[in-house]
């Protein structure tokens, strides 16, 4: 029986590896590059982002952190001085 199992494994292993290669999705290549923000308060600015990513999909068109952006627009005036001490991504 051991010989049969080994024979089946030796035939099945390359078939399974071939099937996995063609059936499993290929991970998307992520590129870190400079992208221009196309909308919102950061429109026209360039930001270094990994793309594709969920937050890049929100930052580039200006839809990232809309609630926070709304609060800042309501509180900050032209005379205000602000320091951005936040996390890595965002504006």
């Amino acid at each position: 029986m051991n010989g049969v199992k080994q024979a089946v494994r030796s035939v099945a292993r390359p078939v399974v590896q071939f099937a996995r290669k063609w059936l499993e999705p290929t991970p998307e290549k992520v590129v870190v590059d400079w992208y221009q923000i196309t909308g919102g308060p950061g429109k026209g600015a360039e930001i270094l982002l990994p793309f594709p990513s969920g937050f890049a999909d929100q930052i580039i068109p200006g839809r990232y952190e809309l609630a926070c952006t709304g609060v800042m627009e309501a509180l900050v005036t032209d005379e205000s001085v602000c320091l951005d001490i936040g996390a890595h991504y965002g504006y």
Side-chain angles (χ1 to χ4, degrees):
M1 191 67 163
N2 258 352
V4 173
K5 284 182 181 180
Q6 286 180 346
V8 169
R9 283 186 181 138
S10 68
V11 171
R13 184 169 286 127
V15 172
V16 169
Q17 288 172 345
F18 177 81
R20 280 187 181 153
K21 180 181 175 183
W22 290 102
L23 296 176
E24 289 182 354
T26 306
E28 286 186 89
K29 182 178 179 185
V30 175
V31 177
V32 177
D33 203 356
W34 290 96
Y35 295 92
Q36 188 170 41
I37 298 173
T38 60
K43 184 176 181 177
E46 290 189 350
I47 187 168
L48 187 63
L49 294 170
F51 191 83
S53 67
F55 53 87
D57 292 343
Q58 297 293 309
I59 290 174
I60 292 171
R63 295 189 309 256
Y64 187 70
E65 297 181 337
L66 291 177
C68 182
T69 301
V71 170
M72 295 301 289
E73 288 175 331
L75 296 176
V76 176
T77 66
D78 289 341
E79 295 82 28
S80 296
V81 176
C82 299
L83 298 175
D84 181 0
I85 54 173
H88 187 62
Y89 294 110
Y91 54 83

